[in-house]
Amino acid sequence: MLSIPFIDVPPLNGAAGTVRLPGSKSISNRVLLLAALCEGTTLVQDLLASEDTQVMLDALRALGCAVEPDGSSVRITGLGGRLATREADIFLGNSGTSTRSLTAALAVLSASQGGRFEIRGVPRMHERPIGDLVDALRPLGCPIEHLGQDGYPPLRLGDGRVHALELDAPIRVRGNVSSQFLTGLLQALCLVAGDRDVTIEVVGELISQPYIAITLNLLQRFGITVRNESWQRFVIPQGSHLRSPGEIHVEGDASSASYFVALGAIAASAGAPLRIEGVGQDSIQGDVRFVDAAVGMGAQVKSGPNWIEVSRGAWPLKALTLDCNHIPDAAMTLAVMALYAQGTTRLTNIASWRVKETDRIAAMAAELRKLGAAVLEGTDFIEVTPPAAWRPAAIRTYDDHRVAMCFSLAAFGGVPVRILDPKCVAKTFPDYFESLFALVRADAAEVPVITIDGPTASGKGTLASTVAQALGYHWLDSGMLYRATALSALEAGVAADNEVGLAGLAAALDLRFGDERVWLAGRDVSAALRREEVGALASKISVWPAVRQALHDLQLSFRCVPGLVADGRDMGTVLFPGAPLKVFLTASAAMRAERRHKQLISKGIPASIDVLRADLEARDERDRNRTVAPLKPAEDAQLLDNSALTIEASVDQVLAWWSARRPFDRG
Ligand code: DC
């Protein structure tokens, strides 16, 4: 995702299509660690590429593992349970899975083999508890030192010396703050169960049990069958030895699936359900049970081994009271679905939300209220009653990927939603917004458009593309369509006065845009379109009404979610007369000739300023005086003379005008 300060989601009214999920974070990070600890080489396929897996991969490299990425796969050669390096300083960002499981593994390895490691993360990671894990590891004989506050990272594991581990008594761990402590112990203690059974006992309640099921399942894939005694005692049998399965495939992320299951329930029609690929009935992830909750709220669901199809059933959705202990992450999505329910939804047993990426109960409550919902929160529950009147809201995301993702679904209430700091989704789903926008629909009139018209070489292309990038919007360079028609005409030998022939070429343009390049009928024509003779011919042929008409619908089709910045001559006057912001950009002819001259010289193309200026003026004249769609400012356009402005200053001005027109609180 682009690193922009916010992304505005316009009011949405439908969803359809297929989404392919990124790999599961929980499976990816467990598999990476097990592949690094075991004996042998593992090819991990469809690994999640995100911040949380990146910090894990970096840590494994720091520990001396051979990590060879290969497209969406990675090949890891395990350490075979032997430390390859005895000291390292490891940074784990805000990844809970990485921090908890590496703490356990490195505590056990450094104590038994003599090593010393430091583990740290971002400031929020240093507020996330780890004391229960430390308390479980110390009685084993693992030296662990808190380098900051007691009970929280950063930690020093090991003191460089070898210690005999005390493994005869059961290792006791509390399970009611995070199940990741137990996961960490299960993985780590498999390294030292060679000559005896190793028993782990859960003290008190065990939350998020399905995550332990994932751990047990993957340990089995790596050759170890842990005896599960009613989720209270876990016995790693004597002689256990982690062995690579050779190849392992990471299924799609079930927590990430929750956003699309919800999307289908809110906005997909039964005739065209939303299809989610990568997880399904056979999933080993507990969050796949989110589907049952969605069905409880009214969703229509069909599923197969690794796919789910969802459409709207009941509407409004049905309010629900649910113990969410088994789906703690995905349950946040239910809190947003509750906005569309009839009545009050109550989600209980979610105390763990308070120690995640942020205090999720407080965060959800505050942001749901901004939309107009009535919210009641307690230490371990949240209650949501839909808004009586929806309000446009700028949603804070607290550096929490799940807050950003689930609130994007709040755009079906008839008002736009601004998601602040959207790049936080990179933690688990870097392309989330692109995936979402490819599936959703909005009334064209609701999709915001900024038009930027002006004469040749006024700098509107640079301004428009920069503004589009800053807002995460699409960009239409309409001149490019006239240029492409002109290029086709030159190549096909169609004369500049053959209106019908030219219109035929315009209607048949096979254009593709991407990566700042343009392809015409599969050929990269980016450079050809910039040629002076092509521009001059474009100006000539654009006087023909039939040519303009032929390009009309193609231009309108660029207006899609989340928004559009369109530049040209008649964007504000003809194509998008209702655009909420129209800019008319000018610069003196002398200045424009000078800019064009610099551009050409820098590309090694010889040019004369005087000739360029005469040419610009002739073109302006023609564009201004043609009968159809002449170049002129729309009545309600903001005029911007950028003769003396830097590009940044022009961009800032347009963004300031834009922000003043948006319905969001700028407080
Ligand atoms: O913006 P440009 O220089 O790439 O455009 C090339 C020609 O295309 C321009 O001289 C006039 C024509 N044009 C137009 O008539 N209407 C538009 N919206 C965009 C360009």
Side-chain angles (χ1 to χ4, degrees), residues 294-319:
V295 167
M297 293 190 83
Q300 296 258 319
V301 178
K302 277 204 279 188
S303 59
N306 72 342
W307 58 268
I308 306 172
E309 284 184 359
V310 191
S311 59
R312 186 192 269 189
W315 193 259
L317 295 173
K318 295 184 249 178

Side-chain angles (χ1 to χ4, degrees), residues 227-306:
R227 223 163 49 235
N228 173 0
E229 298 176 358
S230 310
W231 303 98
Q232 283 305 309
R233 276 164 64 93
F234 298 87
V235 182
I236 305 168
Q238 177 183 3
S240 288
H241 193 62
L242 283 171
R243 257 186 224 95
S244 169
E247 233 175 83
I248 192 158
H249 164 258
V250 176
E251 60 180 70
D253 193 294
S255 314
S256 298
S258 73
Y259 311 111
F260 300 100
V261 172
L263 181 63
I266 295 165
S269 70
L274 196 85
R275 186 175 167 90
I276 300 157
E277 292 184 347
V279 289
Q281 280 163 2
D282 296 351
S283 173
I284 63 167
Q285 300 166 73
D287 266 359
V288 78
R289 295 273 64 82
F290 173 84
V291 167
D292 302 336
V295 167
M297 293 190 83
Q300 296 258 319
V301 178
K302 277 204 279 188
S303 59
N306 72 342

Side-chain angles (χ1 to χ4, degrees), residues 456 460 478-479 482-483 538-539 542 548 568-571 619 623 626:
T456 273
K460 54 189 184 331
S478 60
Y482 289 92
R483 287 169 181 266
S539 165
S542 64
R548 304 200 74 83
R569 304 293 189 287
D570 58 346
M571 298 296 103
R619 213 188 286 187
D623 289 350
R626 66 186 178 216

Side-chain angles (χ1 to χ4, degrees), residues 336 339-340 371 390 395 406-417:
V336 174
L339 291 169
Y340 308 103
L371 291 158
W390 284 76
I395 302 296
C406 66
F407 273 96
S408 67
L409 300 171
F412 290 90
V415 296
V417 176

Side-chain angles (χ1 to χ4, degrees), residues 436-456:
L436 176 73
F437 294 153
L439 299 170
V440 295
R441 285 191 306 271
D443 266 354
E446 297 278 15
V447 177
V449 181
I450 300 174
T451 63
I452 301 182
D453 288 308
T456 273

